[in-house]
Amino acid sequence: MIEQITKLTEEYHIWVGENTTLREIANCVEITTPFLDRHNDMMQIFATVSGNEIILSDDGYTIEDLEFCGVNVNTSSRRRFIEQNLNGFGVKRKGNDLVARATAEDFALSMHNLLQAMIAIDDLYYLATPSKVSRFDADLVTWLNDAGIRFDAKKFKGRTGYNVDYKYVIPPSDKMPERMLLAIDNPDRSAVEQVAFRWLDIRDERPSDARLYPILNDAQHGSVLNEMDAFRNLEIKPVLWTSRHEVLPELAA
């Protein structure tokens, strides 16, 4: 039996290697692993060589994602939770970055420990109560859930270098491309400008057929015709909350 399991273990090691990709960006190497986070996204580590030392980092993703999803990581109990878990894996926190330092001899172990630390810290999402979202966001979530539409929060890096967060991303299907929704409780000019900037920042980084659907709360506000026209001029598809049923087939497909 041990020979059989040994062979299968070796095949697993080969699979991990074949499904780990490297990409050189700026002054570091992006390592994309086959291991998944709670969003079912492949976990990534960034490696930088400094003399005889290799610095490994998650580029702040783990903690920033928790904060984006409503988890306050700066309470005393959660800071203690983070510190205890990081210490257990020999990983340090530098700002929002989780960092491990390695040499050529212990690189594999350090990378493995950093991945485990990222997974452990990510568990704060399940241990903490998310902060209160706006009522309009809550209404949108309820409507999506009632319609059986699957969505997830995603973080995209824009041309500016900043991360752009979207709470409601519907993955592509064989019928529809990637779709992103935004709940706009107060659809005024300022909101249009903010949404437009965020979208244009990531537009070239997303699939060419990706779509953005700002959901405008016209139930609590007057005419939003100017805002609707402004979005359409940017090839963004605005949706009135009172007419949301009209796009349900596109979102559910």
Side-chain angles (χ1 to χ4, degrees):
M1 180 184 293
I2 190 168
E3 290 82 5
Q4 180 184 9
I5 300 303
T6 298
K7 183 176 183 299
L8 293 174
T9 302
E10 291 172 350
E11 290 177 356
Y12 168 71
H13 292 159
I14 294 172
W15 178 85
V16 171
E18 290 178 343
N19 288 276
T20 298
T21 61
L22 306 181
R23 183 168 69 104
E24 190 166 357
I25 53 174
N27 296 319
C28 69
V29 175
E30 175 191 80
I31 306 171
T32 301
T33 75
F35 307 111
L36 304 180
D37 62 16
R38 71 173 191 279
H39 301 299
N40 285 326
D41 290 331
M42 292 180 174
M43 297 174 65
Q44 292 182 317
I45 287 176
F46 299 85
T48 305
V49 177
S50 177
N52 294 325
E53 191 174 51
I54 304 168
I55 302 171
L56 302 172
S57 167
D58 72 337
D59 196 33
Y61 175 84
T62 307
I63 288 178
E64 289 176 5
D65 180 65
L66 287 170
E67 292 177 331
F68 168 65
C69 292
V71 178
N72 180 2
V73 300
N74 291 313
T75 67
S76 58
S77 61
R78 291 170 193 164
R79 285 200 305 268
R80 186 164 59 251
F81 174 90
I82 292 173
E83 183 177 354
Q84 289 173 345
N85 278 278
L86 294 183
N87 288 341
F89 294 111
V91 174
K92 302 294 183 182
R93 178 178 176 182
K94 185 177 181 181
N96 283 339
D97 293 0
L98 305 184
V99 179
R101 295 180 178 273
T103 63
E105 289 74 23
D106 63 3
F107 176 83
L109 177 60
S110 296
M111 177 173 163
H112 180 69
N113 284 341
L114 178 55
L115 286 169
Q116 288 194 99
M118 292 165 64
I119 293 171
I121 302 307
D122 196 48
D123 282 344
L124 264 178
Y125 177 80
Y126 301 104
L127 300 175
T129 301
S131 60
K132 185 178 179 180
V133 298
S134 75
R135 182 166 183 172
F136 188 50
D137 271 286
D139 289 343
L140 177 57
V141 169
T142 299
W143 178 63
L144 292 172
N145 287 334
D146 288 346
I149 298 172
R150 293 181 57 194
F151 63 90
D152 206 348
K154 296 283 185 179
K155 189 187 300 287
F156 306 110
K157 181 159 286 188
R159 289 183 298 174
T160 59
Y162 295 122
N163 288 326
V164 180
D165 304 318
Y166 284 93
K167 294 181 183 178
Y168 317 107
V169 179
I170 304 172
S173 67
D174 57 352
K175 295 180 180 179
M176 291 293 294
E178 178 182 70
R179 289 140 290 170
M180 287 168 267
L181 281 67
L182 283 171
I184 304 182
D185 192 22
N186 184 21
D188 57 11
R189 176 174 175 173
S190 176
V192 171
E193 291 174 345
Q194 183 180 22
V195 170
F197 175 79
R198 286 157 52 92
W199 177 242
L200 295 174
D201 193 27
I202 69 163
R203 187 66 189 88
D204 292 341
E205 307 300 322
R206 307 311 307 146
S208 60
D209 57 355
R211 300 182 184 180
L212 178 64
Y213 295 81
I215 312 297
L216 281 56
N217 187 5
D218 61 322
Q220 300 297 323
H221 301 276
S223 174
V224 292
L225 293 179
N226 290 337
E227 289 74 17
M228 297 280 283
D229 288 341
F231 281 127
R232 292 188 184 109
N233 290 337
L234 294 170
E235 298 182 351
I236 295 173
K237 185 168 183 175
V239 178
L240 297 177
W241 176 246
T242 55
S243 302
R244 60 192 181 278
H245 62 280
E246 295 178 0
V247 296
L248 185 57
E250 296 179 33
L251 303 181

